[in-house]
Amino acid sequence: MEQLIVLGTGNAMCTKCYNTCFAIDTGEGVLLTDAGGGNGILARLEAAGIAYSRLHHMIVTHEHCDHLLGVVWVVRRIATLMRSGAYDGDFRIYCHAGLVEPIRAICGFTLQKKFTSLFDQRIWLVPVADGDLLNLLGCETVFFDIHSTKAPQFGFTFRLPGAGRLTCLGDEPYNPLCEPYVAGCDWLLSEAFCLYGERERFKPYEKHHSTVKDACQLAERLGVPNLVLWHTEDKNYEQRQALYTAEGRVYYHGQLFVPYDLDVIRLSE
């Protein structure tokens, strides 16, 4: 049974939840995507019950601090386990080519040499290009440039072992140039910064983000049967699920998920 493990659901400046990041558990192993903005990722992985022994692949979508800085802590933790003989195999981090050296540099500035010496030995930074196809956890994974307006950013489509495809759009609005990668997917993971009714308060468009209405209209138009909304403001965190679901139902008639941190969503039976 494949599962989507929601580690964080908030935007960059959230304080009531963790920054948006997630893991896919295929049964064979765990694929981590992004790591939030700090060592809170360690607490989230622990609370989710994700054993590092099952974590050998990680995707980093882009350079923004709320997605990138937690990578340092994941590297440190796994390097510590490697050095103590408690981690078998290698750990691979996939990102666009322009992000390889920044990740290496940030780790170099903040971690001791005993940890960073494992780069290119057992910890690998793997550059990916638009349209690249790799096999992660036995699953076909296609990376694509989301054509970000702020910084280079890649999404991906992951073919689930059971059936269906899951597509991560990153944290910016959908670009029609990505349709070949998104069309026909069974699960769409989309940012939704705020309610459309609160767009004047949160100004999502100025931040290059979508509203619930925008994301739901997109999924409806593309015929996506399952939609997950996150990377949101957190001022309405306690009521967010009810509020976002109510607005989303007006525009989208598939299965809508507005998860809280540490929720688990079944991707197949």
Side-chain angles (χ1 to χ4, degrees):
M1 178 181 68
E2 296 93 38
Q3 299 182 124
L4 177 67
I5 303 170
V6 181
L7 300 172
T9 57
N11 68 353
M13 300 300 289
C14 63
T15 58
K16 298 179 177 64
C17 54
Y18 192 58
N19 308 122
T20 298
C21 52
F22 63 94
I24 300 170
D25 187 340
T26 66
E28 178 177 327
V30 175
L31 169 64
L32 178 63
T33 299
D34 292 336
N39 76 340
I41 185 61
L42 303 182
R44 284 297 189 265
L45 290 169
E46 181 177 310
I50 296 175
Y52 289 94
S53 61
R54 303 185 66 235
L55 178 58
H56 292 272
H57 301 278
M58 178 179 187
I59 294 171
V60 182
T61 59
H62 63 297
E63 66 190 36
H64 290 164
C65 63
D66 56 317
H67 298 261
L68 177 61
L69 296 184
V71 174
V72 173
W73 294 95
V74 175
V75 168
R76 176 172 177 165
R77 179 60 176 153
I78 287 179
T80 299
L81 293 171
M82 286 177 171
R83 285 174 50 81
S84 67
Y87 185 96
D88 294 329
D90 293 355
F91 180 63
R92 287 178 168 80
I93 301 171
Y94 307 88
C95 59
H96 66 77
L99 195 48
V100 168
E101 288 310 313
I103 292 176
R104 191 185 298 272
I106 291 172
C107 290
F109 285 133
T110 57
L111 297 178
Q112 294 172 277
K113 182 69 174 177
K114 64 181 180 180
F115 300 127
T116 58
S117 64
L118 290 168
F119 279 121
D120 306 318
Q121 301 295 325
R122 294 184 64 190
I123 299 175
W124 305 91
L125 291 163
V126 183
V128 295
D130 186 38
D132 275 1
L133 188 156
L134 296 178
N135 186 300
L136 306 185
L137 299 176
C139 300
E140 177 183 282
T141 307
V142 181
F143 294 87
F144 60 90
D145 188 337
I146 72 163
H147 303 282
S148 168
T149 56
K150 294 186 289 189
Q153 181 173 169
F154 274 37
F156 64 91
T157 292
F158 185 82
R159 185 169 292 281
L160 298 165
R165 292 190 301 126
L166 176 148
T167 297
C168 169
L169 285 177
D171 77 349
E172 289 195 31
Y174 166 80
N175 188 309
L177 293 173
C178 299
E179 186 153 355
Y181 303 106
V182 179
C185 72
D186 299 278
W187 291 85
L188 184 64
L189 315 182
S190 176
E191 53 85 29
F193 195 86
C194 66
L195 297 167
Y196 183 76
E198 292 196 310
R199 65 194 182 283
E200 293 303 321
R201 177 186 180 191
F202 293 109
K203 304 189 184 305
Y205 304 131
E206 294 179 14
K207 301 177 177 72
H208 304 277
H209 287 306
S210 305
T211 66
V212 172
K213 174 183 176 181
D214 301 323
C216 288
Q217 286 181 323
L218 169 67
E220 184 78 6
R221 180 174 66 80
L222 294 177
V224 176
N226 301 284
L227 174 63
V228 179
L229 301 181
W230 50 24
H231 201 277
T232 74
E233 52 79 25
D234 67 342
K235 301 299 186 292
N236 294 317
Y237 185 69
E238 291 78 9
Q239 294 81 37
R240 183 183 63 187
Q241 189 171 79
L243 292 170
Y244 283 34
T245 300
E247 180 167 286
R249 288 294 180 209
V250 177
Y251 307 100
Y252 174 68
H253 298 91
Q255 191 165 208
L256 179 61
F257 298 86
V258 184
Y260 287 111
D261 290 18
L262 296 176
D263 279 358
V264 177
I265 300 171
R266 288 188 178 187
L267 299 173
S268 67
E269 295 303 324

